[in-house]
């Protein structure tokens, strides 16, 4: 590490909690099983919200698990040192999370029947959310301003690489029957129906009361109070000040941050990079 990142296969990773050896082994050898559920996201797309929902669905709305076990142990990360160790400690089935770009993900996924959920979010909100996350954490190079982070993001010079490449890669899986494509925006607009869709995809039958509990206990306000899920459990020296993953939890925060020139520049790059996708696929368009 010389420039504030851990580099692996040309992609930037955090310098804390990750190592070249684990990334190499996880990407090349990790075996995903048919019974596993894999949640894939580009950072800041609503990963932890969805983990909370999936855990609550798994426990039929019972809150014991989400209140007693840290979120990263309930759904370990395939590519982090601790997550990879945990996943190898016992047989599954596992719920696991990953931010890996498509081309780096363990190839065993592509021949398994594991259920894959990919959640996407308006990239402008991803950018703003990422800026506030990385200025607070000491795990990678910190941007000096939103303008600087904007440039890094547009060039793909950020953790886990380019948003455009991440989404393009994973979109190629979207027609498979073991893949569910969700968006942060639909989860915000109609959480109940979206959670019902997730249950259907996972083959889980919940009673209306259980569904009510999933809805209530994964809400922004309740999650914000759950120290097992909101990052309060992490060592304070990883942060520059008090930090929670539950920051604002809204759609369209980019409008409070982008200048007109930035919004125009973003749209221009977006149109070039996202050419070829069908209309209506992305709810923010
Ligand atoms: P903001 O920074 O825009 O508030 P990730 O988990 O992928 O890092 O994504 C974090 C984003 O999801 C943050 O967005 C956070 O506030 C939002 N989020 C987390 N829990 C949420 C919840 N229960 N409801 C709505 N948004 C949530």
């Amino acid at each position: 590490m010389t420039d504030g990142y851990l580099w692996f296969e040309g992609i930037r990773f955090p310098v804390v909690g990750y190592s070249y050896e684990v990334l190499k082994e996880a990407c090349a050898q990790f075996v995903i099983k048919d019974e596993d559920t894999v949640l894939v996201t580009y950072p800041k797309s609503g990963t932890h919200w969805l983990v909370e929902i999936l855990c609550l669905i798994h426990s039929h709305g019972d809150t014991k698990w989400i209140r007693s076990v840290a979120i990263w142990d309930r759904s370990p990360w395939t590519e982090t040192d601790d997550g990879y160790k945990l996943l190898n400690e016992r047989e599954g089935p596992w719920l696991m999370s990953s931010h890996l770009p498509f081309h780096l993900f363990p190839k065993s996924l592509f021949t398994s029947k594991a259920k894959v959920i990919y959640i996407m979010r308006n990239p402008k909100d991803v950018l703003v959310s990422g800026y506030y996350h990385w200025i607070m954490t000491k795990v990678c190079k910190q941007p000096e301003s939103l303008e600087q982070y904007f440039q890094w993001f547009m060039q793909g010079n950020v953790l886990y690489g380019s948003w455009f490449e991440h989404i393009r890669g994973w979109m190629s899986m979207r027609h498979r029957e073991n893949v569910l494509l969700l968006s942060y925006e639909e989860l915000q607009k109609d959480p109940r129906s979206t959670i019902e869709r997730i249950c259907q995809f996972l083959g889980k039958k919940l009673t209306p009361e259980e569904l009510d509990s999933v809805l209530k206990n994964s809400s922004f306000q309740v999650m914000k109070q759950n120290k097992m899920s909101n990052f309060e459990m992490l060592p304070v020296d990883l942060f520059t000040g008090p930090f929670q993953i539950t920051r604002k939890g809204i759609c369209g925060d980019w409008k409070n941050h982008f200048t007109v020139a930035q919004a125009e520049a973003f749209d221009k790059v977006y149109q070039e990079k996202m050419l070829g996708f069908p209309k209506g696929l992305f709810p923010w368009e």
Side-chain angles (χ1 to χ4, degrees):
M1 194 279 285
T2 50
D3 63 352
Y5 299 105
L6 170 75
W7 284 85
F8 176 71
E9 297 284 334
I11 301 280
R12 292 165 170 83
F13 288 88
V15 291
V16 178
Y18 294 71
S19 61
Y20 185 86
E21 294 67 33
V22 165
L23 281 164
K24 192 165 169 223
E25 188 178 313
C27 293
Q29 299 175 13
F30 186 64
V31 179
I32 310 281
K33 312 239 177 57
D34 289 348
E35 302 73 31
D36 292 332
T37 303
V38 186
L39 167 59
V40 186
T41 63
Y42 187 84
K44 311 318 296 171
S45 302
T47 324
H48 296 85
W49 187 12
L50 198 54
V51 171
E52 202 81 332
I53 290 170
L54 293 173
C55 292
L56 283 160
I57 291 175
H58 181 81
S59 56
H60 285 256
D62 190 300
T63 57
K64 250 192 271 59
W65 194 30
I66 65 157
R67 295 201 185 285
S68 58
V69 180
I71 195 159
W72 45 84
D73 290 341
R74 283 182 260 133
S75 182
W77 294 80
T78 50
E79 64 268 20
T80 65
D81 290 352
D82 288 350
Y84 187 66
K85 184 163 172 273
L86 198 56
L87 289 170
N88 283 290
E89 266 170 15
R90 70 157 172 84
E91 286 289 303
W94 279 104
L95 165 62
M96 63 186 91
S97 308
S98 180
H99 287 321
L100 284 173
F102 183 68
H103 71 283
L104 290 184
F105 201 85
K107 299 292 169 276
S108 56
L109 178 72
F110 307 117
T111 48
S112 86
K113 296 193 183 86
K115 294 205 159 64
V116 180
I117 304 181
Y118 187 89
I119 184 161
M120 54 188 180
R121 185 182 190 186
N122 184 339
K124 291 176 180 160
D125 285 336
V126 168
L127 189 160
V128 171
S129 180
Y131 169 70
Y132 282 106
H133 189 134
W134 310 123
I135 54 167
M136 291 301 297
T137 49
K138 299 185 196 165
V139 300
C140 63
K141 185 172 172 181
Q142 290 173 313
E144 280 161 19
S145 62
L146 180 63
E147 172 56 27
Q148 186 182 50
Y149 189 73
F150 183 92
Q151 298 303 335
W152 292 358
F153 187 93
M154 298 316 283
Q155 291 155 10
N157 297 337
V158 287
L159 290 179
Y160 285 95
S162 158
W163 178 89
F164 300 98
E165 281 164 31
H166 202 277
I167 195 137
R168 199 165 261 290
W170 282 103
M171 280 299 124
S172 65
M173 294 277 285
R174 71 182 191 279
H175 297 301
R176 294 199 183 195
E177 63 178 35
N178 63 330
V179 175
L180 178 67
L181 178 64
L182 296 174
S183 69
Y184 183 91
E185 287 71 23
E186 69 182 314
L187 207 43
Q188 280 279 7
K189 193 169 160 204
D190 193 350
R192 181 175 286 270
S193 309
T194 312
I195 292 170
E196 280 171 344
R197 262 182 76 206
I198 301 171
C199 289
Q200 204 174 16
F201 174 72
L202 296 175
K204 280 274 192 184
K205 284 199 167 53
L206 266 58
T207 64
E209 294 73 30
E210 289 169 348
L211 195 67
D212 284 344
S213 171
V214 177
L215 208 53
K216 177 176 151 217
N217 290 297
S218 63
S219 69
F220 187 79
Q221 291 73 17
V222 174
M223 240 184 106
K224 209 171 175 52
Q225 302 304 320
N226 184 3
K227 67 178 191 323
M228 292 292 164
S229 308
N230 66 13
F231 277 43
E232 273 176 54
M233 299 277 289
L234 282 173
V236 288
D237 58 2
L238 288 180
F239 302 100
T240 55
F243 179 79
Q244 283 201 339
I245 196 80
T246 39
R247 186 186 65 94
K248 216 166 183 181
I250 60 165
C251 296
D253 195 29
W254 67 271
K255 292 177 195 152
N256 302 316
H257 291 83
F258 280 24
T259 61
V260 173
Q262 281 173 330
E264 283 172 7
F266 194 106
D267 290 342
K268 189 161 177 286
V269 173
Y270 182 94
Q271 269 148 29
E272 282 161 16
K273 300 235 185 212
M274 300 298 279
L275 210 64
F277 284 112
K279 282 217 169 336
L281 183 59
F282 303 118
W284 53 81
E285 282 182 356

